[in-house]
């Protein structure tokens, strides 16, 4: 099977609704799917996804070069980026865990899988760890992450939605969000 044949097959499966509607040429795994299809001579979405995974934690799938959120999120953390940090009010913390806690699709349950997958990847991809990485507080990271999720939960409970299903934002809610985020306590 040629590359063109593989792409045509994937396009046909996509246009017939036999693979997820976001699984097109812009999908992060599309090029891998083309190679898989050339090798196998056909494409089985479930088989492809299983072949990609080293291990899974909920929606988080560890692949040979990244951690990928599946289930419609298609969020990718490249294998060399697990040691990115940020200064959070004077504490050096793991950037991805704080950043992702602010996403609406991460909640108190799914964050457990994220954290497990993240720390698994730090070990699995340890060859990419910078030699000069200073101390990063995992305790502060998880403490801050937990409080961010609590703030998100409070904000969701106070959301007002219009008759058209649009979330209404006002300056009072934005000030409340700012105050809650500024009130994060540190260990």
């Amino acid at each position: 099977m040629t590359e063109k044949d593989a792409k045509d097959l994937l396009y046909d499966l996509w246009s017939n609704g036999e693979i997820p509607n976001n699984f097109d040429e812009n999908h992060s795994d599309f090029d891998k799917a083309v190679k898989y299809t050339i090798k196998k001579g056909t494409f089985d979405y479930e088989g492809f996804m299983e072949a990609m995974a080293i291990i899974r934690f909920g929606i988080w799938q560890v692949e040979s070069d990244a951690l990928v959120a599946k289930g419609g999120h298609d969020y990718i953390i490249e294998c060399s980026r697990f040691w990115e940090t940020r200064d959070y009010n004077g504490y050096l913390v793991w950037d991805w865990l704080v950043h992702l806690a602010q996403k609406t699709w991460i909640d108190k349950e799914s964050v457990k899988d994220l954290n497990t997958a993240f720390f698994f990847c730090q070990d699995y991809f340890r060859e990419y760890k910078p030699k000069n990485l200073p101390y990063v507080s995992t305790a502060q990271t998880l403490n801050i992450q937990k409080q961010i999720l609590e703030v998100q939960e409070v904000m969701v409970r106070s959301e007002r939605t219009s008759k058209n299903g649009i979330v209404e934002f006002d300056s009072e809610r934005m000030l409340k969000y700012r105050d809650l985020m500024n009130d994060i306590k540190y260990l």
Side-chain angles (χ1 to χ4, degrees):
M1 178 174 280
T2 68
E3 182 176 339
K4 183 184 180 323
D5 293 338
K7 287 180 177 181
D8 288 346
L9 175 62
L10 289 169
Y11 179 77
D12 289 344
L13 293 170
W14 174 79
S15 52
N16 291 332
E18 297 175 52
I19 58 177
N21 65 350
N22 71 333
F23 202 80
D24 59 16
E25 63 276 353
N26 297 316
H27 193 279
S28 62
D29 291 329
F30 186 78
D31 291 334
K32 293 174 187 174
V34 170
K35 291 175 186 168
Y36 176 90
T37 305
I38 292 168
K39 181 179 176 184
K40 298 281 186 183
T42 188
F43 185 76
D44 167 44
Y45 182 76
E46 295 304 319
F48 170 70
M49 296 310 282
E50 286 301 317
M52 298 278 298
I54 292 169
I55 191 169
R56 289 183 193 206
F57 302 95
I59 66 166
W60 296 96
Q61 179 170 298
V62 179
E63 297 180 1
S64 64
D65 59 353
L67 176 62
V68 181
K70 299 295 183 181
H73 303 294
D74 200 32
Y75 204 93
I76 302 168
I77 303 173
E78 298 292 331
C79 61
S80 63
R81 300 191 62 197
F82 288 100
W83 294 271
E84 292 179 6
T85 60
R86 77 163 70 171
D87 181 284
Y88 203 97
N89 202 32
Y91 296 97
L92 198 58
V93 297
W94 298 114
D95 184 52
W96 284 107
L97 296 182
V98 172
H99 170 74
L100 287 167
Q102 298 171 11
K103 300 292 183 190
T104 58
W105 49 274
I106 298 290
D107 59 28
K108 285 183 176 180
E109 287 306 310
S110 63
V111 77
K112 296 171 188 174
D113 291 328
L114 165 63
N115 291 341
T116 302
F118 180 85
F119 292 119
F120 176 93
C121 287
Q122 280 195 324
D123 184 38
Y124 189 79
F125 297 118
R126 65 188 169 277
E127 68 199 60
Y128 296 98
K129 182 180 179 181
K131 303 250 185 280
N132 60 349
L133 183 70
Y135 172 75
V136 181
S137 177
T138 298
Q140 287 293 1
T141 303
L142 297 177
N143 175 52
I144 292 164
Q145 181 191 64
K146 178 181 182 293
Q147 292 178 74
I148 290 170
L149 290 168
E150 289 168 353
V151 167
Q152 301 289 62
E153 197 173 87
V154 167
M155 295 307 293
V156 165
R157 281 197 309 261
S158 67
E159 262 182 12
R160 290 185 301 259
T161 307
S162 73
K163 292 177 185 177
N164 298 333
I166 298 171
V167 176
E168 297 175 356
F169 285 96
D170 58 38
S171 57
E172 187 177 308
R173 279 190 86 244
M174 296 308 289
L175 291 171
K176 178 181 179 180
Y177 179 76
R178 182 202 63 197
D179 292 344
L180 289 169
M181 291 298 283
N182 286 337
D183 198 34
I184 287 180
K185 306 286 186 259
Y186 304 96
L187 300 174

